[in-house]
Amino acid sequence: GAVVSQHPSWVICKSGTSVKIECRSLDFQATTMFWYRQFPKQSLMLMATSNEGSKATYEQGVEKDKFLINHASLTLSTLTVTSAHPEDSSFYICSAGGYGTEAFFGQGTRLTVV
Amino acid sequence: GESVGLHLPTLSVQEGDNSIINCAYSNSASDYFIWYKQESGKGPQFIIDIRSNMDKRQGQRVTVLLNKTVKHLSLQIAATQPGDSAVYFCAENIGGTSYGKLTFGQGTILTVHP
């Protein structure tokens, strides 16, 4: 299957700082990528749809000014958690592809805000 | 934010037994369903998918059954192995022709005892 890579795998940051997470499709082009968040012992929740060359579409209840998404190329989407707080600590996962086939997920990024 | 005390359903089986994991979905208009396996600290891994015009699909050691009447999915794993221990999620496509926009079920923890 296709490969989706996230970077970093884990990050620890201080409260109030911003953190950028990258999602790359390594062997295919993705006009659309998706960002999910997963708290411990819970399911994945869709945060937003990242569209190449246009604004992201956010799910209800997700603050677009806090979770900035940029999809500047067909192989890269970034999620920036701005002014991070401890309650933003979570596992962030991206996916790509999926037109007529299953979506491919990255390995996830564990964010811890201290 | 995180829900304190939330517990995922669990299923414990002996190695070699068959496992059945169940899932209820919410949208009767969903046309594509996927089962994912998630190991600790990793992103979801595709297991098997099924489209709404089918009621059964088989893969290697896995079978997915779809009952649209009651909006129910099941995943059957034959001859379960310790390496199958993980959290299993069903997901339904909510993105039309873009199969990456998914709503995930709550998940089931499968533990396989040697």
Side-chain angles (χ1 to χ4, degrees):
Chain A
V3 178
V4 175
S5 178
Q6 275 183 249
H7 179 80
S9 297
W10 59 270
V11 57
I12 301 172
C13 71
K14 292 184 178 180
S15 187
T17 63
S18 296
V19 174
K20 180 185 286 187
I21 302 170
E22 295 184 348
C23 178
R24 295 181 183 273
S25 55
L26 297 186
D27 51 1
F28 66 102
Q29 294 181 332
T31 55
T32 306
M33 294 184 176
F34 303 90
W35 288 96
Y36 294 82
R37 178 169 55 183
Q38 184 179 32
F39 291 109
K41 300 190 186 303
Q42 293 192 29
S43 188
L44 285 77
M45 294 293 292
L46 180 66
M47 298 176 66
T49 302
S50 174
N51 304 299
E52 188 270 334
S54 64
K55 291 182 179 180
T57 306
Y58 291 82
E59 296 301 303
Q60 190 173 8
V62 177
E63 300 176 58
K64 63 179 182 180
D65 295 330
K66 181 166 185 65
F67 298 100
L68 300 180
I69 292 172
N70 185 288
H71 194 152
S73 78
L74 288 171
T75 59
L76 174 64
S77 173
T78 61
L79 169 69
T80 301
V81 183
T82 63
S83 186
H85 288 95
E87 57 264 32
D88 298 322
S89 298
S90 188
F91 194 51
Y92 292 87
I93 310 168
C94 70
S95 73
Y99 282 97
T101 69
E102 78 273 16
F104 301 99
F105 283 83
Q107 73 271 35
T109 297
R110 171 73 59 194
L111 170 63
T112 302
V113 185
V114 298
Chain B
E2 182 176 357
S3 297
V4 177
L6 182 68
H7 296 287
L8 296 176
T10 60
L11 174 64
S12 292
V13 300
Q14 290 296 127
E15 181 177 2
D17 287 352
N18 296 331
S19 302
I20 299 176
I21 300 171
N22 297 302
C23 175
Y25 64 92
S26 57
N27 189 348
S28 57
S30 295
D31 60 355
Y32 177 62
F33 306 88
I34 316 99
W35 279 99
Y36 288 97
K37 172 185 180 183
Q38 187 180 30
E39 297 174 320
S40 181
K42 297 183 179 180
Q45 176 186 353
F46 173 90
I47 301 174
I48 191 167
D49 59 3
I50 188 167
R51 287 178 167 72
S52 59
N53 60 353
M54 304 172 69
D55 52 22
K56 180 180 180 179
R57 189 158 190 239
Q58 290 184 290
Q60 186 177 13
R61 282 202 306 121
V62 294
T63 300
V64 55
L65 299 178
L66 173 63
N67 184 330
K68 294 182 288 293
T69 302
V70 295
K71 292 188 285 187
H72 182 269
L73 272 171
S74 69
L75 176 69
Q76 301 176 3
I77 305 174
T80 316
Q81 302 167 2
D84 294 326
S85 295
V87 181
Y88 288 80
F89 293 97
C90 67
E92 60 183 300
N93 172 52
I94 58 173
T97 56
S98 174
Y99 287 165
K101 190 173 183 181
L102 304 170
T103 295
F104 281 79
Q106 66 174 356
T108 297
I109 301 173
L110 174 65
T111 303
V112 183
H113 300 283

